[in-house]
Amino acid sequence: MTDGTNPPRSPQPEQPAPGGGGHGFPPEPPAGEQGGYGFPPGPPAGEQGGYGFPPGPPAPGPAAGGYGYPAGPNPYRQDPSPQDAYPQDAYPQDAAQAPFPPGPYQQGGYQPYGAVPGGPAGPGAPWPPAGAEQPAPFGAQAGHQPDWEALADRSAAERRRKRLWMVGGVVTVLALLAGGGTFLLLGGGDEEKKDVADDAPTVSESAPAPSGSKSKAPVDKSPTVASDPSQIRDHVGKAHLKMAADAGVFPIDKHYELRTKGGEKSYAESEKRVVDVSKSFTVSARVWNRAPKGRQMAVSQGDDKTFAFELGSDEVNGKPAWVFRVQTNDQGADSTAQAVVAEGLKMEKTMTTLTGTYDDDKKTITLYVNGKKSTEAKVPGVFNAPGPLQLGRARHEGAWTGPWNGAMDSLRTFGVALTPEQVAAVRQNKLSSSVKPTASWLLF
């Protein structure tokens, strides 16, 4: 008996019996009206349902075999075969009606023998000869077994890929380390040179770096003296400039500038002389004026009868022009003054760098505008007028003249006559630290 899950099976002989059909199957279907191998050709007589089950519940009583099975011998068994056979057409033909899910050898549910590939074509049809190659499900099913060779190849490829990744990672790390070492080796010299250059004092440093230190000293760009905000601080020495009531220092962008109103109380001056005009010298300032009319002097020196030099704007031949002028006689007469000028340039409300030089060896004075040489002239020398440096005015025949109406910054004086290349570098703030100013104020 079986519970209906799988029909009972009897062991099959290892080799086909002599004269048999192979693997326990007879060489031909049994004679008579049987459907083959114990299956009747049609459904069982009576009111039996599929699989021998009656359409109703099992008959009561101890004599009942349960679910349509008679208590006596099986009426459908025609021979003493140990197998319990079932009619072919008792199996559902639709997979959706199958009482059990399809097994690995049954696609779409239980099928009649005639639908099994490689099986008999129908009831009473012969099975293939013994030893013949069987299609699925009886033949070898390569798709149901893993492809061990392919899996081994894939595992080997994966291991090779991991090894390549590891080797690539090691090579990358070594390359980075080698590159970093090369950078340090190649850049070390430049860095050392940069540190050496930074150690050199500059015009904007408040104090030199400590001996043996490679760090740059902090730059103090404060425009005025901490203890007296009315004094414009000299970044190099002690030539601070005292501002009058109508002059003041104001921030602009990232620097500071001196602003004057063009009045008699709108100027700044040093305590004593700053430039030694008996020798070569250079004076430079970046200036801005509101209206270049008449005489306006940004920088000069002297407070007695006359000036020693003056740098600013004036009218030349009835037109405004940039001018650098020196006095050659102690009387301070205009007739003994010598000037170099730059005409035809934009002057009003424009930031302009003016630089005047005196070469004592060549006895020449030169004017540069925005780093470019304008004019040059011969002079017998420069009168060393007494008195301090002035910003925003100049002394003429014992009187103050040329009040500056505008602003100025980046003022410097040098104890040498700068070359044209050095003058251009001053305008760009790229002058070598080997050329040191004698004084500087309001650096840009």
Side-chain angles (χ1 to χ4, degrees), residues 388-431:
L389 186 83
Q390 305 286 329
L391 298 184
R393 64 181 185 173
R395 194 77 171 173
H396 276 253
E397 298 179 350
W400 293 111
T401 63
W404 184 264
N405 184 10
M408 63 188 78
D409 61 20
S410 297
L411 297 111
R412 296 181 179 93
T413 62
F414 298 85
V416 296
L418 297 181
T419 65
E421 294 77 18
Q422 291 172 330
V423 171
V426 168
R427 180 176 181 265
Q428 299 173 357
N429 288 323
K430 294 182 179 181
L431 183 64

Side-chain angles (χ1 to χ4, degrees), residues 207-256:
S211 177
S213 172
K214 292 187 177 182
S215 61
K216 188 176 180 180
V219 177
D220 184 4
K221 291 187 176 181
S222 57
T224 57
V225 177
S227 59
D228 186 2
S230 67
Q231 295 191 62
I232 303 173
R233 187 170 73 88
D234 178 9
H235 290 274
V236 176
K238 296 180 180 180
H240 307 312
L241 305 175
K242 183 72 173 180
M243 290 182 289
D246 291 340
V249 172
F250 298 87
I252 178 170
D253 296 332
K254 294 183 179 180
H255 66 285
Y256 297 87

Side-chain angles (χ1 to χ4, degrees), residues 76 85 117 155 162 170 185 192 198 272 325 333 347 403:
Y76 299 105
S155 298
K162 290 182 178 180
V170 171
L185 290 175
E192 184 177 354
D198 289 344
K272 55 185 180 181
R325 183 182 287 120
M347 300 176 63

Side-chain angles (χ1 to χ4, degrees), residues 36 61 63 69-70 127 146 162 273 281 294 300 366 373 388 393 395 415:
Y69 288 102
W127 284 80
K162 290 182 178 180
R273 283 188 296 188
F281 68 89
S300 70
T366 307
K373 185 177 179 179
R393 64 181 185 173
R395 194 77 171 173

